[in-house]
Amino acid sequence: MTTDRIAVDIKVPNQTRYLCLIGHIGENIARTLRNYSGDREKLAYDLNLVLTEAMANAIQHANEGDPAKEVHIEISIVDQRLIIRVFDCGQGFDVQQYIEPRHPLDEHGRGVYLIHTIMDEISYLSTDNGHVLKLTKNL
Amino acid sequence: MNLQIEDKGAAVLLAVQEERLDAHNSGDLKNQMLKLFEEGKNNLVVDLQAVRFVDSSGLGALVSGFKNASSRNGNLKLSGLQLQVKSMFELTRLHRVFEIYTDSSEALASFQQ
């Protein structure tokens, strides 16, 4: 069986105008995968959403909206495991605090919950100059 | 954001003419709705027929509009949700908060009853 082995490394300015670009890369990966037996269009939406939410979090909470900063995203697929890493260079935020579903009338704080419902593993760890949000999904 | 705003009498129709409603443009929608509330227009229909993708910020903007409309004795109703957008409302239990109609004319008619 031919398996997918994909590695994508992206660096974009810390600005929301690039969310669409990052989200579309996720969608296109879902549509290109060789071996995926699930609902491909659902996976496309989910990867678009996960990447959009993860990057928006990095922009707003970790990089404090500073447009001069950069968001670094790595997407890789090895052995039917999809791993997304989003690197930021800021103070970070408490991921665990946002994992539980919000009250429906809350205006903020749904992003991490949505990521959590889609991905199998989620971690947020310190790096030399910031943090990395690591998200894993078994395909 | 590309947004068509039309006063239909009983309610104002806001048709979002964007493929995505996300953290990049949801602030514009929120501001437009606030402007309408300030003008005393408290009954809104937000039509999402053209929207293929919504994220948590987009949902947050709609919740903000809903709460503002409710606090002014108005309502914010939704129409034209594509299948995957509708799933987002279900996942976040927001389908129990909003009145959701198949198309904008149905949503507008509901304000005239």
Side-chain angles (χ1 to χ4, degrees):
Chain A
M1 185 173 76
T2 314
T3 56
D4 294 289
R5 230 185 129 78
I6 297 173
V8 183
D9 193 303
I10 315 150
K11 284 178 184 165
V12 289
N14 191 53
Q15 297 165 27
T16 53
R17 60 179 292 112
Y18 297 99
L19 288 173
C20 174
L21 170 69
I22 300 300
H24 281 170
I25 291 171
E27 276 193 335
N28 286 332
I29 287 175
R31 294 194 179 119
T32 313
L33 286 179
R34 208 183 287 267
N35 299 299
Y36 185 71
S37 53
D39 180 342
R40 206 174 272 272
E41 280 311 300
K42 182 179 186 306
L43 182 68
Y45 193 102
D46 284 352
L47 295 188
N48 187 348
L49 184 63
V50 165
L51 284 161
T52 299
E53 298 290 354
M55 181 169 161
N57 260 312
I59 293 171
Q60 287 157 1
H61 302 299
N63 285 346
E64 290 112 21
D66 180 352
K69 287 186 177 171
E70 198 173 58
V71 180
H72 177 195
I73 299 173
E74 283 177 8
I75 308 166
S76 66
I77 298 171
V78 179
D79 297 331
Q80 292 297 99
R81 268 168 80 81
L82 169 82
I83 300 170
I84 295 169
R85 288 184 183 85
V86 180
F87 298 86
D88 64 62
C89 34
Q91 297 295 312
F93 65 103
D94 179 11
V95 169
Q96 292 303 323
Q97 190 193 326
Y98 295 103
I99 279 181
E100 294 302 315
R102 313 299 286 185
H103 184 277
L105 287 178
D106 278 356
E107 288 174 39
H108 302 283
R110 283 188 186 83
V112 173
Y113 165 70
L114 289 170
I115 292 173
H116 185 64
T117 62
I118 293 166
M119 303 303 280
D120 294 310
E121 290 166 32
I122 173 167
S123 70
Y124 189 63
L125 303 169
S126 293
T127 60
D128 288 345
N129 57 349
H131 297 84
V132 58
L133 177 68
K134 184 183 174 195
L135 311 167
T136 307
K137 184 175 178 64
N138 300 312
L139 295 172
Chain B
M1 148 173 279
N2 194 351
L3 189 64
Q4 273 176 14
I5 303 176
E6 216 177 323
D7 195 336
K8 298 283 195 180
V12 176
L13 173 65
L14 295 96
V16 180
Q17 302 294 313
E18 298 278 350
E19 191 186 292
R20 289 169 63 95
L21 180 57
D22 64 11
H24 184 55
N25 58 13
S26 58
D28 293 347
L29 175 64
K30 206 167 148 177
N31 290 338
Q32 283 293 341
M33 289 190 293
L34 282 173
K35 233 168 102 181
L36 290 167
F37 294 134
E38 279 163 16
E39 291 168 15
K41 292 174 173 130
N42 301 328
N43 286 328
L44 309 182
V45 172
V46 178
D47 184 65
L48 298 175
Q49 202 181 358
V51 177
R52 196 173 66 79
F53 176 86
V54 63
D55 74 353
S56 63
S57 297
L59 295 176
L62 294 168
V63 168
S64 160
F66 175 82
K67 288 188 346 194
N68 271 306
S70 302
S71 71
R72 291 167 163 85
N73 294 318
N75 202 344
L76 186 158
K77 304 182 183 186
L78 301 174
S79 65
L81 274 61
Q82 294 191 23
L83 208 63
Q84 288 181 313
V85 170
K86 202 171 176 190
S87 300
M88 288 288 290
F89 282 81
E90 288 162 359
L91 188 60
T92 52
R93 296 176 296 160
L94 284 170
H95 63 302
R96 295 184 198 159
V97 171
F98 291 98
E99 285 183 42
I100 300 174
Y101 293 86
T102 312
D103 58 49
S104 59
S105 53
E106 252 184 55
L108 288 165
S110 74
F111 276 109
Q112 283 157 347
Q113 283 164 4

